[in-house]
Amino acid sequence: MKRHNELSRRRFVGGMLKAALLAATAPNFIPLRVLAGENTPSKKIQLGHIGTGNQGTNDLRNFLTVDSAASVALCDPFRQRREAAAQFVRDRQKLEPKLYNDFRELLADKSVDAVVIATPDHWHVPIGLAAVRAGKDVYIEKPLGHSLEQNQAMLAAVKKHDRVFQYGTQQRSQEMLKRGVELVLNGYIGDLQRLEVWAPAGQGGGSLDEIPLPDGLDYELYLGPAPMKPCTKDRITRKGSYFCSDYSLGFIAGWGAHPLDIAIWGMDSDTKGPVSFRGAGNFPTPNGLFNTCATWDVEIKFSDGIPMHFMSTNHAKPIVQKYRTDVQGADAKFFDNGTTFFGSKGWVSLSRDGSCASNPTWFKLHQCEGTKRVLYHDRYYKAFVDSVRERSPSIAPIQDALRSDALSHLSLMAIKTGGEVIWDPKKYEIESPKELNGQMTCPVRGNWKQV
């Protein structure tokens, strides 16, 4: 025992000296894994934030409330955005973050343990791939990829490099939604028979008139893998990233990701075999800047026979109001997003704004009877930090992100073709029409290799 104790003391002192030497020569922050191993409870996870626009700043503010993390680096091709975000870090954490224009420089920063990616959609996977290959864990905003091929590549990279991935679907930390999903999983509604899922509609419009490049914007880096197009006042705004097909699929994915994620949380029909899609949609300004699908009405049928009706809010409202009594009447607010599970014994309807059931007493139960429980954390952003520290499963894993995102991509394909699209989730390919497999990728500009 004496020999063991001497060795332990020597290792301890040696480790402390090594840490001190590193501290004297390293940047302001030292990665957790360098200091004392990934599971050290006393060290903060050091975060880099890539994309500091509207959603990126929202994410930053939330991560700044997590005491076990420090936001040490910020990146955005808009100089003014990253500088404004830096002030939040100074005010909250009393430290000076490193500022980067190019995400590749941030990813080369050894002091960063994990990154939060909140860029326009077309950048999510390309930056995500670069991040996990650089050894970073990733929190990626929804939707996932600009193509099905990107999504598959992201899954493979996360597995290969053994990285933590958390999807930006924050409702998985809403306790009432967790309760509702567990009601479904434990058979309170009986056997699941069908689902209705809806999300806010998009919009058309957007100026195509070219403007001079704004001061402080690295336009080449902003576009990245997207086509080079003239800069317009709407192209470089939040709506431009939402509704222009150069950067996104539109709200069918950008907002649809949330209620579809709830559906995936509560069922696994999409994993059992081929899934069929039929639908129609409206593109109000197909030749304009905002040229994505604005409204949609899609029928999805899973291999076990369970159907899903996936709609934009305008289509859903007259259907949902027939059974959701909490949204009846002139003064009632209709929840513009939601997921309803219908079963042989009743239904449960869940949204980020409010939930109800055919039996209202179900939601009075703090915990339903039954053994099926979902992985849950009441603080979504802390959940990611905890997973990074503990190397524990994410509450919004990439496997679920792929499943929900595929429903958006394939719904849009069915709308565009005007016929039936059949998807084989096990082979990760389109069974019919076969030629659509050529549309599982998207064009890449220049040297911005994506997969």
Side-chain angles (χ1 to χ4, degrees):
M1 289 300 293
K2 183 177 179 181
R3 176 64 175 167
H4 173 76
N5 290 338
E6 287 176 356
L7 287 172
S8 297
R9 281 194 295 272
R10 288 175 186 173
R11 288 175 184 144
F12 174 76
V13 172
M16 292 296 290
L17 288 172
K18 183 178 180 181
L21 288 171
L22 284 168
T25 59
N28 291 338
F29 293 90
I30 304 169
L32 175 68
R33 57 184 174 272
V34 172
L35 274 171
E38 292 177 338
N39 295 321
T40 303
S42 61
K43 301 302 179 183
K44 292 189 175 186
I45 298 298
Q46 297 169 65
L47 300 175
H49 296 259
I50 303 175
T52 57
N54 181 71
Q55 186 58 39
T57 297
N58 288 338
D59 287 339
L60 173 63
R61 285 174 163 174
N62 280 291
F63 276 109
L64 288 174
T65 68
V66 181
D67 291 337
S68 53
S71 294
V72 301
L74 308 173
C75 176
D76 199 293
F78 282 87
R79 185 187 70 243
Q80 294 88 339
R81 290 182 182 176
R82 62 180 182 263
E83 289 177 350
Q87 191 58 49
F88 290 118
V89 178
R90 297 185 193 106
D91 292 343
R92 178 64 175 81
Q93 293 189 333
K94 311 304 180 187
L95 61 84
E96 188 66 38
K98 300 175 185 178
L99 302 185
Y100 296 96
N101 176 68
D102 192 321
F103 70 90
R104 292 167 293 188
E105 295 176 6
L106 184 151
L107 294 179
D109 186 343
K110 300 299 184 182
S111 71
V112 174
D113 296 303
V115 294
V116 180
I117 300 170
T119 60
D121 300 354
H122 72 297
W123 263 126
H124 287 177
V125 168
I127 295 176
L129 289 172
V132 299
R133 289 166 182 165
K136 316 297 185 187
D137 298 309
V138 291
Y139 177 106
I140 299 183
E141 271 298 336
K142 55 77 200 168
L144 188 53
H146 205 197
S147 71
L148 289 166
E149 182 188 46
Q150 280 190 353
N151 290 352
Q152 188 178 36
M154 193 71 229
L155 172 65
V158 167
K159 287 183 174 181
K160 177 180 178 180
H161 298 281
D162 193 24
R163 294 294 90 198
V164 171
F165 171 102
Q166 186 165 309
Y167 202 27
T169 50
Q170 299 83 8
Q171 72 265 353
R172 288 201 177 197
S173 279
Q174 288 185 238
E175 199 268 345
M176 195 61 71
L177 298 187
K178 175 250 191 190
R179 284 199 216 181
V181 167
E182 289 183 348
L183 288 170
V184 173
L185 293 174
N186 286 286
Y188 276 68
I189 66 170
D191 295 330
L192 180 63
Q193 295 180 333
R194 63 187 179 91
L195 296 93
E196 289 175 355
V197 179
W198 67 100
Q203 67 180 68
S207 173
L208 290 171
D209 296 333
E210 187 171 5
I211 63 168
L213 291 180
D215 176 57
L217 169 62
D218 185 335
Y219 191 58
E220 162 68 28
L221 197 56
Y222 178 82
L223 295 181
M228 175 58 71
K229 299 283 183 68
C231 182
T232 77
K233 68 180 182 68
D234 292 322
R235 184 178 290 277
I236 55 176
T237 63
R238 178 173 54 174
K239 287 186 177 179
S241 65
Y242 287 169
F243 305 127
C244 175
S245 62
D246 290 338
Y247 318 116
S248 76
L249 271 64
F251 265 11
I252 194 170
W255 238 111
H258 289 302
L260 287 171
D261 176 66
I262 297 173
I264 293 300
W265 212 14
M267 63 96 177
D268 61 359
S269 294
D270 63 306
T271 65
K272 296 178 179 178
V275 185
S276 69
F277 298 78
R278 283 186 179 272
N282 179 41
F283 297 77
T285 53
N287 298 316
L289 180 66
F290 300 162
N291 58 354
T292 55
C293 180
T295 64
W296 62 93
D297 189 350
V298 179
E299 296 288 349
I300 302 171
K301 190 168 185 179
F302 301 107
S303 61
D304 57 6
I306 294 176
M308 174 188 289
H309 194 180
F310 179 35
M311 304 162 278
S312 51
T313 302
N314 59 303
H315 289 292
K317 188 172 184 177
I319 297 172
V320 175
Q321 281 186 320
K322 291 179 181 178
Y323 60 86
R324 282 200 63 158
T325 56
D326 60 328
V327 294
Q328 298 292 333
D331 296 330
K333 177 186 182 295
F334 179 76
F335 299 132
D336 60 8
N337 64 95
T339 305
T340 305
F341 300 88
F342 293 91
S344 56
K345 297 179 180 178
W347 52 266
V348 167
S349 191
L350 308 173
S351 77
R352 292 160 67 94
D353 299 313
S355 303
C356 66
S358 55
N359 184 342
T361 64
W362 290 343
F363 277 106
K364 295 180 181 179
L365 300 171
H366 181 68
Q367 183 166 285
C368 64
E369 293 182 0
T371 60
K372 295 182 179 178
R373 298 287 176 255
V374 297
L375 191 60
Y376 176 75
H377 194 301
D378 62 354
R379 294 183 60 192
Y380 199 73
Y381 299 91
K382 187 176 186 299
F384 175 63
V385 173
D386 288 352
S387 289
V388 171
R389 177 185 307 285
E390 299 163 7
R391 313 314 298 168
S392 58
S394 164
I395 66 170
I398 189 166
Q399 291 85 353
D400 284 2
L402 247 73
R403 293 167 60 197
S404 61
D405 210 45
L407 298 178
S408 295
H409 282 270
L410 293 156
S411 292
L412 185 58
M413 285 185 177
I415 291 167
K416 288 182 174 180
T417 62
E420 183 180 43
V421 173
I422 300 178
W423 169 250
D424 187 332
K426 295 182 177 180
K427 294 181 180 179
Y428 203 80
E429 67 180 26
I430 296 169
E431 194 173 281
S432 175
K434 290 284 190 184
E435 57 268 23
L436 286 182
N437 285 294
Q439 297 181 27
M440 286 177 59
T441 185
C442 57
V444 179
R445 182 175 67 92
N447 296 320
W448 293 109
K449 185 175 176 61
Q450 297 182 19
V451 297

